[in-house]
Amino acid sequence: DAIAAETKAVDISEKCRKSLRLREWKEALKAADQLLEIFPISGPCSLPWVCLKCEALLHMDPHEVGNTLAPICESAVCIDSAQADAWYLRGKALFYAAHDAISTTSAMGYLRRAKEMATELSCTDIAQRVVSLMSTVESFSKLRDQGNNSYASGKWTDAFDCYSKCLSLDSSNLSLKAIILCNRAAVCIQCERWKDALDDINLSITYNAQNAKAYTRRARIHQHNNNLDAAVKDLQTAVQMYPSSENQERLNQAIEQRRVFMTRKARGEQQQQQSSSNSGRPSSGAPGGGGGASNFGATSGSGSFRYFFQGKQQPQGNGAAGGGGTKGPQRPFTAGPGRSNSSHSYFGGAGAAAPVSTAPRAKTYYEILGVSRTVDEKGVIRAYRDAALKWHPDKWASEAPEKRTHAEAYFKEVSIAYNTLKDSDKRRLYDMSGMTSL
């Protein structure tokens, strides 16, 4: 029976190692569990099979691997190859579970212990694996710090390059790839590469669906794209995972943003319907709508109109039927806080009256910072930092003159909004004034 069990164990162990080489983690784990049925985990000969199981499990649950190996490593009374392998896997599990400076330093400590054992026992295979992983951890730590420092300094290209290099270090470390993709998405957001940011954050969530920060970051992208239902859904997920006051405030802001957006959208659609209806109504000098000028200077039935929504123009028609409908005089459009002044035309024939303005109202200080009216002081400070970083004139130095001018104007509005809302007395007076100006 013992010989039969040993023969069976050899076959199963070969199957397990083959699955590991093919990265078929579940099959490898299944085979390792079969081995431990033959050699119980409490038995004196079980450690090699425990290590084999941990090697498969760390790709699915590295935290469990760390919990399994910690007491085994710390209570060892002798040094052998299995012990060296256990220390190696303990360091690898920690590197797969966490990626901050403290965790990588601890992982390097475990790996150095494994290297000492492997060298003492002349276990060349284990020593090579340890040295290779130590090189990966050291490279990651260096690139991580460089990327984080570049991000903090606003050197977006350098940060993007460092995070990209991190992704090529260990293709099996999905947790590492998830956090690096999340960081690179933040860089893309700062550079307003919104599509790249969304691609990275979607892949990050695919690799690790339990990171609340990834959902808040994706929500920010959805908010920029006016995909507000998706933004609210992501923030609800983030609050469920990590119910902090900061995440709850972000959710409240997104809900308020969605409400305002839907209200303005409905108002714009209503104005569009009214304009379409008016454009088909005959003027007072032309019974039956024969050729008289209609509202907005278009002939009866043309349906041409223009309306403003959030400072943008909808495409206009090609003029009235029969070649009529010339472009009317230019009318200045006064921008609200944070908007540049520009001239927008309206359709009008000779002597036609200007239509009622549908230009959006001036933004409130809350809207300039992108926060709700219930935001607390910390939320104001956080929003100001994000807005100031985005609109700082230095960032726009290489852009066209009109973009630089717009950025400088908006940066001033951001500063004014922040200085008002951070001061409780000024904020109270501002709220009492109807939230227009001070």
Side-chain angles (χ1 to χ4, degrees):
D1 292 342
I3 295 176
E6 185 174 345
T7 302
K8 181 180 179 181
V10 170
D11 293 338
I12 296 174
S13 65
E14 287 300 321
K15 180 181 178 181
C16 182
R17 289 187 173 90
K18 181 180 178 180
S19 296
L20 288 172
R21 288 194 298 270
L22 296 175
R23 299 186 178 184
E24 296 173 348
W25 314 124
K26 291 183 179 180
E27 291 299 319
L29 184 60
K30 181 179 178 181
D33 283 333
Q34 291 175 352
L35 284 170
L36 290 173
E37 290 177 1
I38 301 173
F39 303 99
I41 194 169
S42 59
C45 301
S46 64
L47 185 54
W49 314 126
V50 172
C51 290
L52 207 57
K53 177 178 179 178
C54 287
E55 193 169 349
L57 185 60
L58 68 83
H59 296 280
M60 294 178 284
D61 192 350
H63 295 280
E64 180 61 26
V65 173
N67 293 335
T68 299
L69 293 177
I72 294 175
C73 291
E74 299 296 342
S75 63
V77 294
C78 63
I79 297 177
D80 56 23
S81 60
Q83 278 292 331
D85 200 21
W87 279 96
Y88 160 73
L89 290 171
R90 187 183 181 187
K92 188 173 183 178
L94 183 55
F95 180 51
Y96 273 48
H99 313 99
D100 58 280
I102 295 176
S103 297
T104 51
T105 299
S106 298
M108 287 295 290
Y110 300 153
L111 293 174
R112 279 191 290 270
R113 178 61 174 148
K115 182 181 177 182
E116 292 171 0
M117 289 184 174
T119 302
E120 182 177 344
L121 297 168
S122 299
C123 296
T124 306
D125 177 60
I126 296 177
Q128 289 177 345
R129 285 188 286 147
V130 172
V131 170
S132 176
L133 183 56
M134 289 178 70
S135 176
T136 298
V137 176
E138 288 174 343
S139 297
F140 164 73
S141 299
K142 182 179 179 180
L143 289 170
R144 175 201 60 205
D145 294 343
Q146 288 177 349
N148 291 346
N149 290 335
S150 296
Y151 184 90
S153 303
K155 299 177 181 178
W156 313 125
T157 301
D158 292 343
F160 185 91
D161 290 343
C162 288
Y163 293 145
S164 297
K165 290 176 182 177
C166 283
L167 292 174
S168 64
L169 292 176
D170 188 345
S171 60
S172 299
N173 194 338
L174 300 185
S175 176
L176 172 66
K177 293 170 73 173
I179 196 67
I180 292 302
L181 284 165
C182 187
N183 285 358
R184 196 171 73 170
V187 176
C188 292
I189 288 173
Q190 296 296 341
C191 298
E192 298 192 354
R193 293 165 53 182
W194 298 101
K195 183 181 183 303
D196 292 338
L198 185 58
D199 289 342
D200 275 359
I201 207 67
N202 282 338
L203 193 54
S204 174
I205 291 174
T206 299
Y207 290 145
N208 180 13
Q210 304 303 318
N211 183 9
K213 182 180 289 186
Y215 289 96
T216 61
R217 198 153 287 169
R218 188 168 70 174
R220 182 177 176 185
I221 300 170
H222 286 321
Q223 285 176 287
H224 173 270
N225 295 335
N226 280 333
N227 190 3
L228 301 180
D229 287 335
V232 170
K233 183 178 179 180
D234 274 349
L235 288 170
Q236 288 172 336
T237 301
V239 168
Q240 290 175 355
M241 291 181 177
Y242 187 62
S244 65
S245 58
E246 181 179 357
N247 284 342
Q248 185 62 55
E249 175 61 26
R250 286 171 175 166
L251 175 58
N252 294 340
Q253 291 173 11
I255 293 173
E256 174 66 11
Q257 183 183 3
R258 181 176 62 177
R259 184 193 67 78
V260 172
F261 177 80
M262 295 305 296
T263 299
R264 291 180 176 178
K265 182 179 180 182
R267 188 183 303 143
E269 290 174 349
Q270 182 180 10
Q271 291 169 348
Q272 179 179 351
Q273 292 174 357
Q274 291 175 350
S275 299
S276 298
S277 176
N278 291 338
S279 66
R281 187 178 302 165
S283 64
S284 58
S294 63
N295 287 345
F296 300 102
T299 57
S300 175
S302 70
S304 298
F305 63 91
R306 175 177 293 181
Y307 74 98
F308 299 98
F309 178 60
Q310 290 189 331
K312 298 181 180 179
Q313 295 180 349
Q314 294 290 347
Q316 65 187 54
N318 294 325
T326 60
K327 186 177 180 180
Q330 297 292 314
R331 177 185 57 173
F333 172 70
T334 303
R339 299 180 184 273
S340 60
N341 290 331
S342 59
S343 297
H344 293 267
S345 64
Y346 65 94
F347 290 106
V356 177
S357 173
T358 58
R361 60 174 173 78
K363 282 188 175 183
T364 68
Y365 290 165
Y366 295 99
E367 291 171 336
I368 290 172
L369 293 181
V371 297
S372 68
R373 300 176 186 179
T374 59
V375 66
D376 59 14
E377 183 179 357
K378 290 183 179 179
V380 171
I381 295 173
R382 183 176 62 251
Y384 168 70
R385 288 174 178 171
D386 289 343
L389 188 63
K390 177 179 179 180
W391 293 105
H392 195 283
D394 290 348
K395 182 181 176 182
W396 298 80
S398 60
E399 298 292 339
E402 58 183 10
K403 289 187 177 181
R404 292 201 304 269
T405 301
H406 173 68
E408 290 171 0
Y410 205 93
F411 183 78
K412 292 178 181 178
E413 294 295 342
V414 166
S415 299
I416 294 172
Y418 169 68
N419 288 326
T420 299
L421 298 184
K422 75 172 182 177
D423 185 289
S424 58
D425 293 332
K426 290 182 180 179
R427 180 174 177 177
R428 183 170 60 255
L429 290 174
Y430 175 67
D431 292 340
M432 293 173 60
S433 71
M435 293 190 298
T436 54
S437 63
L438 281 177

